[in-house]
Amino acid sequence: MLKRLLGKPKQEANPLDTLDKLTETLEMLEKKESVLAKKAEVEVEKAKEFSRVKNKKAAIQCLKRKKMLEQQIEQLGYYQLRIHDQMIMIEGAKATTETVGALRTGASLMKAMQKATNIDDVDKTMDEINEQTENMKQIQEALATPIGAAADFDEDELEAELEELEGLELEEELLQPVGKTPAAPVQVPTVNQPTRPPPQKQTAEDDELAALQAEMAL
């Protein structure tokens, strides 16, 4: 009963539906303006015809109707201008509303993410990461150490042992008998031997000369 008295709740207007309705109205006004413009042209032609036949009164009536039509056309122009302004305002308001809604959604998401992330949890996580990193570093250093290089020796003991070895070596050199020093090797000067000319190739004339000398020797 109460709902009937109060009526149905008013539904929230949809910007897209409103823009569509305004567009339809604008198209209707443009069509009506075109029709009125054609009627005004007809009245002008009638006035010319009545003027030709000297019917001044009828011509004036046609011009009056033409003026009334022009006033309606001008009024329709104002209507169209108002609709254009309202469409621009609605489109701007729609863009603003969508922008604010997007920002509100982003803010809500950031708030939820910050609520789910506690600063203590972040510190704990970072401590765990640092500890794991340090452990991994120690493991890598242990793997990179050569075998047997991990033993820790006393440097003083090593230096004392080295001095003892040097003392024994010096004592052995002093106890060795003094021997003859080896004579320095005699360096024989090298004499350049004369080089023999390479044998020349024997020709046919040389062969004939050698055969003639052999016959003469006989």
Side-chain angles (χ1 to χ4, degrees):
M1 184 66 181
L2 183 61
K3 293 182 179 179
R4 293 180 180 178
L5 293 175
L6 296 177
K8 294 182 179 180
K10 188 176 180 180
Q11 295 181 353
E12 187 176 355
N14 188 354
L16 294 178
D17 296 338
T18 304
L19 289 173
D20 292 340
K21 182 63 177 177
L22 290 174
T23 302
E24 292 177 1
T25 305
L26 186 62
E27 293 176 354
M28 180 270 295
L29 293 175
E30 290 175 351
K31 291 179 181 179
K32 191 172 183 179
E33 182 182 4
S34 178
V35 173
L36 294 177
K38 290 180 180 180
K39 289 182 179 181
E41 292 177 359
V42 172
E43 294 297 333
V44 172
E45 295 297 329
K46 288 182 180 180
K48 290 179 180 179
E49 292 177 1
F50 286 126
S51 179
R52 292 191 191 100
V53 297
K54 306 300 182 180
N55 191 347
K56 185 178 180 181
K57 184 177 181 180
I60 291 175
Q61 291 295 327
C62 291
L63 293 177
K64 286 182 179 180
R65 288 193 293 270
K66 193 258 299 182
K67 288 291 184 181
M68 294 176 62
L69 291 171
E70 288 177 350
Q71 290 178 355
Q72 293 181 16
I73 292 172
E74 186 177 359
Q75 191 67 34
L76 292 176
Y78 290 137
Y79 293 161
Q80 295 177 36
L81 183 60
R82 292 291 182 85
I83 291 176
H84 278 297
D85 292 340
Q86 194 167 20
M87 290 177 67
I88 292 173
M89 292 177 62
I90 291 174
E91 290 176 351
K94 179 176 177 293
T96 302
T97 303
E98 292 177 352
T99 302
V100 173
L103 293 174
R104 185 181 294 111
T105 302
S108 300
L109 179 60
M110 291 179 62
K111 185 176 180 180
M113 293 173 65
Q114 291 177 358
K115 186 177 180 180
T117 305
N118 191 359
I119 186 63
D120 296 334
D121 296 337
V122 175
D123 293 338
K124 183 179 179 181
T125 302
M126 293 304 299
D127 291 339
E128 292 177 354
I129 293 174
N130 292 331
E131 183 179 358
Q132 293 175 2
T133 303
E134 186 64 25
N135 292 337
M136 182 58 65
K137 183 179 179 181
Q138 293 178 2
I139 292 173
Q140 292 176 351
E141 290 178 354
L143 293 175
T145 302
I147 298 175
D152 188 11
F153 299 102
D154 190 356
E155 295 292 337
D156 295 335
E157 292 182 359
L158 294 176
E159 290 182 0
E161 184 177 354
L162 178 60
E163 291 178 358
E164 184 178 356
L165 291 176
E166 292 176 351
L168 292 175
E169 184 177 358
L170 180 60
E171 185 178 354
E172 290 179 357
E173 292 180 356
L174 294 175
L175 294 175
Q176 287 181 359
V178 180
K180 295 181 180 180
T181 57
V186 179
Q187 295 181 357
V188 180
T190 57
V191 180
N192 295 330
Q193 299 292 333
T195 57
R196 297 180 179 179
Q200 297 180 356
K201 187 175 180 181
Q202 191 171 1
T203 61
E205 295 179 354
D206 295 335
D207 294 339
E208 293 179 358
L209 180 59
L212 182 59
Q213 291 177 353
E215 289 179 1
M216 292 178 65
L218 291 176

